[in-house]
Amino acid sequence: MIQPFPWQAEAWARVREAHRAGRLPHALLLEGPGGLGKRAFADLLARSVLCSQIRPDGTACGRCRSCHLVSAGTHPDLSVIEPEEAGGQIRIDAVRALAARERLTAQAGGYKVVLFDPADAMNPAAANALLKTLEEPSSWWLMLLITQQPSRLPATIRSRCQRLAFSPPSEPVALQWLSERVGQIDPKLVYGLSAGAPLKALELADREILDTRERMLQDLMGMMEGTRDPVAIAEAWHKAGPERALEWLSGWALDMARLQAVPEPPLLFNPDKAQALGQLAGKLPGRDVHRLGEMTREARSLVGSQVNAHLLLEGLLLEWASKVPSAGSGMRRRTSRGSRAQR
Ligand SMILES: [Zn+2]
């Protein structure tokens, strides 16, 4: 991508103006929900400040030596600091290496850009080391800290950054952008499923993903009618991808709670499934729906960490199944445990 996304125009104008006036801060905190293109924006800004022939709209030329080095991932003044594995931490060594390099190359001139993605992955030692760097800023640092959860960063770091908040675009802007990219898929459907985050919506605009969602809802309905086994479903969902499964389940639980509160809620994550979810919600007391929703969100926050995702899903689905008010549920739970013991 060479241009900022349409919903980033205002933020881009701000940084472009600051850059032109030589007033770019040493550290910018790019904060906001996922799926809005914060990383793409940071990449664009990094390219722009390093480019030697910047274009009138403030974007990089794409042709100068600097632009080529950035594209090749070998620009000496651009560092990207990320956890070594997804969900991991950013460690102090990565931040110390920056400061050491700054001392070696400080005379080279021009900006030194560092991207932290996500910045909240810094462990306390790394955050402290960064803080020291921010306290004695060389005039040409541009630190870009990307985060969906700014509250996870120490207040001392936040207070030294200028904030750049990203929020979801208006529905017409998002739908216009999506409709040019999703082919045969209904842009409204994926827009709803993404909670308004266009890049997330684009990712979901995939027939296979949507078909899997369909199957998973069928699984859930069957399980809540007592005809499907939660243990088998957990196994299938784990194979299909536990993160996405928990994301769907969490959205269904939220919609069920909304459908219990009012007959026609103005906002649903799954407007296309209102009827099925309404039926399901009608079978359970409100307190159970809330409890299951909480448990599902909790499981979602755990998946990807050290926990066994398969067992997590299994435990959660057994909890869901245990709320079925039919007489068969107790028997089925015993069967499930029996089959686990046999393995
Ligand atoms: Zn250039």
Side-chain angles (χ1 to χ4, degrees):
M1 191 198 72
I2 324 162
Q3 295 291 325
F5 294 110
W7 54 91
Q8 298 176 336
E10 205 178 305
W12 184 254
R14 257 179 74 187
V15 294
R16 178 189 164 199
E17 189 45 43
H19 182 206
R20 197 155 49 190
R23 286 188 288 99
L24 271 180
H26 297 302
L28 260 179
L29 184 62
L30 286 74
E31 58 174 67
L36 299 178
K38 294 189 296 299
R39 174 59 185 270
F41 187 96
D43 284 334
L44 212 63
L45 180 57
R47 280 174 175 272
S48 167
V49 299
L50 295 170
C51 174
S52 57
Q53 288 158 1
I54 201 168
R55 293 193 291 200
D57 64 1
T59 56
C61 74
R63 289 189 301 269
C64 70
R65 185 179 136 74
S66 175
C67 282
H68 285 304
L69 287 172
V70 173
S71 294
T74 53
H75 200 298
D77 294 330
L78 175 61
S79 311
V80 178
I81 301 191
E82 295 166 311
E84 277 166 28
E85 71 279 318
Q89 290 187 336
I90 291 176
R91 296 175 201 287
I92 188 168
D93 304 356
V95 182
R96 277 189 181 144
L98 273 184
R101 220 173 68 186
E102 162 69 2
R103 281 194 290 277
L104 287 175
T105 58
Q107 72 287 0
Y111 276 102
K112 299 200 180 304
V113 186
V114 191
L115 255 76
F116 293 85
D117 185 20
D120 51 82
M122 267 186 285
N123 67 21
N128 257 325
L130 175 62
L131 197 57
K132 289 208 177 79
T133 314
L134 289 176
E135 275 165 355
E136 306 164 12
S138 114
S139 52
W140 294 101
W141 277 124
L142 176 59
M143 308 253 187
L144 301 173
L145 284 76
I146 301 170
T147 182
Q148 293 183 30
Q149 289 165 308
S151 62
R152 284 195 183 176
L153 282 165
T156 42
I157 288 196
R158 272 182 284 148
S159 67
R160 281 170 178 79
C161 295
Q162 202 175 96
R163 280 181 64 224
L164 197 58
F166 291 75
S167 44
S170 69
E171 188 170 340
V173 169
L175 288 179
Q176 171 67 34
W177 185 83
L178 278 170
S179 63
E180 292 159 8
R181 288 164 179 82
V182 295
Q184 300 296 309
I185 288 166
D186 178 9
K188 273 198 166 154
L189 170 64
V190 286
Y191 172 76
L193 292 176
S194 73
L199 300 183
K200 178 77 189 290
L202 189 59
E203 187 191 316
L204 297 176
D206 176 315
R207 191 45 70 196
E208 206 179 309
I209 292 178
L210 294 175
D211 286 349
T212 307
R213 166 179 176 259
E214 202 77 35
R215 269 200 309 280
M216 287 179 172
L217 185 59
Q218 293 299 327
D219 288 343
L220 181 69
M221 303 288 289
M223 186 178 87
M224 300 311 275
E225 280 158 11
T227 58
R228 299 285 316 273
D229 173 24
V231 174
I233 294 174
E235 193 169 337
W237 286 16
H238 181 247
K239 270 191 196 136
E243 286 90 359
R244 188 86 79 201
L246 285 168
E247 187 183 335
W248 295 138
L249 189 60
S250 175
W252 294 330
L254 281 171
D255 281 354
M256 283 165 67
R258 286 173 177 167
L259 287 156
Q260 278 187 336
V262 279
E264 286 183 17
L267 191 71
L268 286 175
F269 286 119
N270 306 272
D272 60 326
K273 301 294 176 201
Q275 203 190 347
L277 293 170
Q279 268 175 27
L280 211 53
K283 289 183 188 173
L284 300 174
R287 62 168 193 282
D288 281 352
V289 170
H290 278 283
R291 180 81 193 106
L292 291 171
E294 271 170 21
M295 293 179 75
T296 307
R297 284 188 289 282
E298 200 180 305
R300 213 185 143 188
S301 71
L302 288 173
V303 78
S305 61
Q306 303 299 323
V307 300
N308 179 324
H310 187 176
L311 287 181
L312 188 72
L313 262 179
E314 194 173 289
L316 181 66
L317 290 179
L318 283 168
E319 247 350 285
W320 273 77
S322 75
K323 305 293 185 210
V324 179
S326 71
S329 63
M331 192 178 76
R332 190 184 51 221
R333 288 196 69 181
R334 278 196 296 278
T335 314
S336 306
R337 289 204 179 129
S339 69
R340 274 165 89 185
Q342 283 161 19
R343 275 189 255 147

